[in-house]
Amino acid sequence: IDSEEKGKGIAIIKAMKIAQGSLIGYVDADNSTEPEAFYSLIQNIKDLDGIIASRWIIGSIIKIKQPLKRRIASRVFNFMVRKMFNLDFRDTQNGAKLFKKYALDLIVDDLGKINWAFDIDLLYRLKENEYRIKEIPTVWNDSKKSKLKISKASIEMLLAILKLKYIYLIDNAVKPRILHHGFYECSRCEKIHILNFNTRLCKECSEEIGVRW
């Protein structure tokens, strides 16, 4: 992918837009998730809309652990994410994730506002659209190739989720909640309508809906 913009989130978004097939997934390039572990996502997605690998639920196998400081930072960060965004996932930052293409097609244009919080943004928007996402145990190794500096990364990620929360507060005040299967809920009149491909306006109150076609 050729892009002047840098970052994991930007690269994944561009890949999502050009990817073909009914399933779209991604995984960290450091091989911390082995091919067999990622394949388990494909085997288990079935009738779900998405599935993510987790290092922090019963059944997961960690062959090589992260340093203690990173594990503590990870748990503190996850606690904040669950409380701030009401996401019931124990490991939002694991790089192995797989989704149905139709789910990503609905939200991909709204992603990428905060690069450091890309995974949280993705999972939150899918949850808001009532897609079914499951977290399953994985097999994982800490990679010695990682160049992440925990002190700097912790500050950047904290600032990222605070900024993301602020964006959601603003967006929820002016945008409708988009529901899957062709429906939207107007944020002003709170009525649910079938999406009209020829207009962006609510038929009841003329509120502009936040959908890109």
Side-chain angles (χ1 to χ4, degrees):
I1 297 174
D2 185 17
S3 174
E4 293 182 358
E5 298 177 279
K6 305 296 183 182
K8 167 187 170 180
I10 297 299
I12 293 176
I13 289 169
K14 289 183 179 294
M16 285 177 176
K17 292 180 178 180
I18 63 176
Q20 302 296 314
S22 60
L23 297 177
I24 298 177
Y26 57 91
V27 66
D28 289 339
D30 60 8
N31 206 35
S32 55
T33 299
E34 297 174 355
E36 294 80 6
F38 186 81
Y39 185 63
S40 71
L41 299 181
I42 299 174
Q43 291 178 309
N44 287 284
I45 193 168
K46 298 178 181 179
D47 60 346
L48 297 167
D49 301 308
I51 190 166
I52 66 175
S54 177
R55 298 161 291 186
W56 293 98
I57 59 177
I58 295 174
S60 62
I61 299 174
I62 309 300
K63 294 181 177 180
I64 302 176
K65 293 183 178 181
Q66 292 177 313
L68 181 59
K69 286 184 179 180
R70 290 193 64 174
R71 279 181 276 158
I72 294 173
S74 171
R75 293 303 83 209
V76 171
F77 181 77
N78 181 258
F79 176 81
M80 294 180 64
V81 166
R82 285 189 284 118
K83 295 299 181 182
M84 291 173 64
F85 301 96
N86 195 28
L87 288 174
D88 192 26
F89 300 116
R90 299 291 168 175
D91 196 357
T92 59
Q93 300 313 108
N94 192 316
K97 296 179 174 68
L98 183 70
F99 305 98
K100 298 287 178 64
K101 187 177 189 301
Y102 60 76
L104 295 179
D105 284 345
L106 183 64
I107 65 165
V108 67
D109 285 333
D110 291 320
L111 296 173
K113 294 179 179 178
I114 309 293
N115 196 46
W116 269 99
F118 171 78
D119 291 286
I120 299 162
D121 193 13
L122 171 65
L123 294 171
Y124 179 83
R125 292 185 185 279
L126 289 170
K127 174 180 174 292
E128 284 296 286
N129 284 281
E130 299 180 2
Y131 283 115
R132 297 165 299 165
I133 312 298
K134 184 178 180 180
E135 188 175 26
I136 67 170
T138 192
V139 178
W140 191 86
N141 294 287
D142 184 40
S143 174
K144 302 303 180 183
K145 299 177 183 178
S146 176
K147 298 179 180 178
L148 189 69
K149 294 182 178 180
I150 189 62
S151 56
K152 181 180 179 182
S154 297
I155 295 173
E156 290 177 332
M157 294 185 76
L158 173 61
L159 294 175
I161 60 174
L162 291 174
K163 186 174 181 180
L164 190 63
K165 181 65 175 180
Y166 175 75
I167 289 173
Y168 288 157
L169 291 173
I170 298 299
D171 283 354
N172 288 338
V174 299
K175 288 185 178 181
R177 186 165 64 97
I178 306 304
L179 306 177
H180 62 294
H181 303 314
F183 294 88
Y184 73 89
E185 180 183 47
C186 179
S187 59
R188 182 176 295 173
C189 70
E190 297 184 345
K191 292 185 178 181
I192 296 177
H193 313 283
I194 297 175
L195 283 173
N196 187 331
F197 286 83
N198 298 316
T199 180
R200 294 184 180 182
L201 301 179
C202 170
K203 296 177 182 178
E204 299 292 330
C205 65
S206 297
E207 175 83 354
E208 183 174 357
I209 65 174
V211 182
R212 300 184 182 90
W213 300 109

